[in-house]
Amino acid sequence: MLAVAPLVWGEIAVTDMERAVAFYQQHLNLSFHREVMDMMEMAIIETEVLDGANVALCKHPLMIPSLDGATVYLHVTDKLNPLLETMSRAGVQILLPLTPIKDGEKGYISLFVDSEGNKVGLWAKQQ
C-alpha cells in the first residue's frame, strides 16, 4: 500500500489556450497562473493548497484533446447540481448527469465536454 496519495499532477490538453481559460473561468469560476516551459504553454489552476496535487490546462504538440483516455475530476463547488444546471443552460454538453457514488455516501460526480473537446469530471460532496 502506498504511504502517500499517488496523484501529484494532472494535465488537460488544449489547442486554444485563450478559449480554454475563458471556458474554465466562465463555467467553473477558476483562476489561473500562466507559465511556459520549453514548448509547453500552461495555465495552472490557482489554489490555496500549495503542496497538494494540482491540474493545469496544457498546450503542447504532443497533447491532443479527447473524449477518450484518463478522466480528471475537479472539485470546484460544494453542491454539484446548481453548477450543472448553470452549465447546461449555457450550452455545455453534459455527458453524465449528476450521479451518486455509493448512494451519495462518497459524493456525486458528473462528466462534461469542455471547449477543447475533452471529457472532464466534476465531484462534490453534496448534490
Side-chain angles (χ1 to χ4, degrees):
M1 179 182 297
L2 291 174
V4 296
L7 181 65
V8 295
W9 181 253
E11 296 175 342
I12 299 173
V14 306
T15 53
D16 184 325
M17 185 62 77
E18 297 309 316
R19 176 179 62 204
V21 166
F23 176 91
Y24 282 88
Q25 286 174 329
Q26 175 186 351
H27 297 293
L28 303 183
N29 198 31
L30 296 174
S31 59
F32 296 91
H33 167 75
R34 306 283 286 265
E35 288 189 22
V36 176
M37 286 180 24
D38 299 320
M39 293 178 58
M40 184 178 290
E41 182 182 353
M42 296 184 292
I44 303 165
I45 296 174
E46 293 179 324
T47 71
E48 294 179 14
V49 180
L50 301 178
D51 60 350
N54 205 347
V55 176
L57 305 176
C58 295
K59 181 178 179 180
H60 186 276
L62 293 176
M63 299 186 71
I64 301 168
S66 174
L67 290 175
D68 303 320
T71 304
V72 174
Y73 283 82
L74 304 175
H75 178 202
V76 297
T77 183
D78 291 332
K79 292 184 178 182
L80 196 51
N81 203 42
L83 175 60
L84 291 174
E85 289 174 357
T86 300
M87 291 174 71
S88 184
R89 280 194 304 271
V92 175
Q93 182 182 2
I94 306 299
L95 295 173
L96 177 70
L98 182 77
T99 302
I101 304 170
K102 293 196 173 195
D103 295 326
E105 184 180 318
K106 299 292 183 182
Y108 298 82
I109 60 169
S110 179
L111 296 171
F112 68 92
V113 179
D114 75 0
S115 63
E116 306 306 291
N118 293 300
K119 172 186 64 182
V120 179
L122 294 171
W123 177 89
K125 185 68 177 166
Q126 300 173 31
Q127 58 180 323

